[in-house]
Structures are given as C-alpha cells and as structure tokens.
Amino acid sequence: MILYPAIDLKDGQCVRLLRGEMEAATVFGDDPAAQAAKFVDAGCEWVHLVDLNGAFAGQPVNAAAVEAILSAVDVPCQLGGGIRDMATIEMWLNKGLARVILGTVAVENPDLVREAARAFPGRVAVGIDARKGRVATKGWAEETDVMVTDLAGSFEDAGVAAIIYTDIDRDGAMGGPNIEATEALARAVSIPVIASGGVSRMSDLTALRDTGVIAGAISGRALYDGAIDLAEALAVLR
C-alpha cells in the first residue's frame, strides 16, 4: 500500500481544513515546495496535492505553488482541485504532473473523465468525496444524491488509474478513516482505491493495509502534527 503525503494549498500556503471547511484552515507552512522536498527526503514515492481555492473556483488558483513543487521534487505528484476541462488536464500533465484527479466533473461530466482516461492512460484518477455515502462536489460545498459505489462502478470500463475516496466527515478530524466504507468500495470495483480522510495514526495505516484490497492512503495533518512519522510509516508499509 502506497502512502501519499498530502499538501493542501490555499492562498499559496500549506494548510489543512477540518471537514472541508475553508474557514477552518490551519496553516502549516508558507513554502509548499520545501514541504514537498521534506516528504521526499523522508522517502515517499508519491506526493498528493490539492488546490483548495481551485476546487471552489472551478479553475486552477495555486498554479505557481504547484509548479514550484514539481520543480523541487523528483517523485510523481498527483493533483486535484479545479480541473474541469480537457485544456486544464492537458496543461497540468504537460507541466509534469504524473496524475490529475477529477472530482466534480466525474459527477457532472463523466464523458470528460472517459475521454481524458483514453487520451492519457494511467494518468487520470477520479476523486470521490462523500458524506454518509453520498457524493459531494465543488469543494464539498454541494451535496448530490449520487451514491459512492454507483459513481465508482460507472467508471469500471473507463481506464481510470485510481479512485481517491474521501470521507468528508473524517477529513482533518484526526478520528481515524472510515475503513469499513473504504474497504467495501475497494471490494465493489476493480479500480485501485486510495483512502483519504482521517488517517491519523500508524494503526490506521496498518488497518487499511491489512484489508488486503486498499491500494493507497493519503495523510496530511497527522504528518504535520507529528502523529505519524513519515519515514517510520513508509518503512512499516514496505
């Protein structure tokens, strides 16, 4: 199971939100590229990036910070937030991102996800963010009646590289991930599932790994707070 350290970008800074609320942002640093380099020095294989302003704006906002990170590290990076058309997908992949994460458009324009996954094999992931099993969009500001498993299943034949599943109620709350729901999703689809939201201690990571079906886990706040030591966690997961 791959551990993805997370860098959430708001106004050019590294932050963590509590349950997706922009007003509940904790700033962890004002040099995202230096933070990414620290994660790489600890041995991570990937870095997970989120353009929080972009998720609300529907277009890239923290592009300068993302580009600085891409220049500073030599491991693959994936980015979500505000990527809602083919031009933006192409722009980011051409700038050196390994993978784009499509969230809102997966609900509103699933044909774009299919087109992008065909055009860029292995480089398009779907981000599914949910409250109580129902998908939320536009930076989690809008809730839908779409069920997580239905949305994930609709992309079974699309060639997407991964599904990043976030339980919004767990995100940033340091209360542990929703292992049961994440495992159920991973068993329901053949697409690799990456867990996000609430990963706050080493035992969360080993519990996710021990399901045998979860491909990856994303952690942010726990790494900044020191609740999880990244180098130690990577060693255990290896």
Side-chain angles (χ1 to χ4, degrees), residues 1-9 14-17 28 35-36 38-40 42 44-50 78 101 140 164-167 170-177 194-206 208 214-234 237:
M1 188 180 80
I2 296 171
L3 175 56
Y4 296 76
I7 297 178
D8 290 3
L9 298 163
C14 302
V15 304
R16 286 301 288 163
L17 305 187
F28 284 102
Q35 182 60 61
K38 274 188 204 165
F39 286 152
V40 173
C44 72
E45 299 165 52
W46 277 82
V47 178
H48 174 79
L49 309 173
V50 183
Q78 61 184 19
I101 303 162
W140 305 350
I164 293 155
Y165 171 64
T166 305
D167 186 311
R170 307 291 183 107
D171 192 69
M174 298 292 284
I194 298 169
S196 174
V199 175
S200 51
R201 57 187 72 83
M202 196 60 227
S203 57
D204 293 336
L205 292 170
T206 53
L208 289 166
I214 295 169
I218 292 166
S219 184
R221 180 179 289 272
L223 299 176
Y224 295 105
D225 286 351
I228 295 175
D229 179 275
L230 180 57
E232 180 190 340
L234 291 166
L237 292 176

Side-chain angles (χ1 to χ4, degrees), residues 88-168:
T88 307
I89 293 167
E90 289 183 16
M91 181 270 290
W92 277 127
L93 294 177
N94 287 338
K95 284 182 183 291
L97 271 178
R99 195 150 70 191
V100 293
I101 303 162
L102 306 181
T104 296
V105 291
V107 178
E108 297 184 350
N109 185 6
D111 288 343
L112 175 67
V113 177
R114 296 171 186 281
E115 181 190 350
R118 276 196 305 272
F120 304 104
R123 302 185 71 187
V124 175
V126 170
I128 300 182
D129 308 323
R131 285 190 181 93
K132 298 176 176 62
R134 296 182 189 278
V135 177
T137 61
K138 296 186 170 69
W140 305 350
E142 294 189 14
E143 295 193 23
T144 71
D145 288 326
V146 180
M147 300 304 289
V148 169
T149 46
D150 293 341
L151 182 60
S154 72
F155 294 113
E156 273 283 30
D157 58 349
V160 300
I163 288 171
I164 293 155
Y165 171 64
T166 305
D167 186 311
I168 296 167

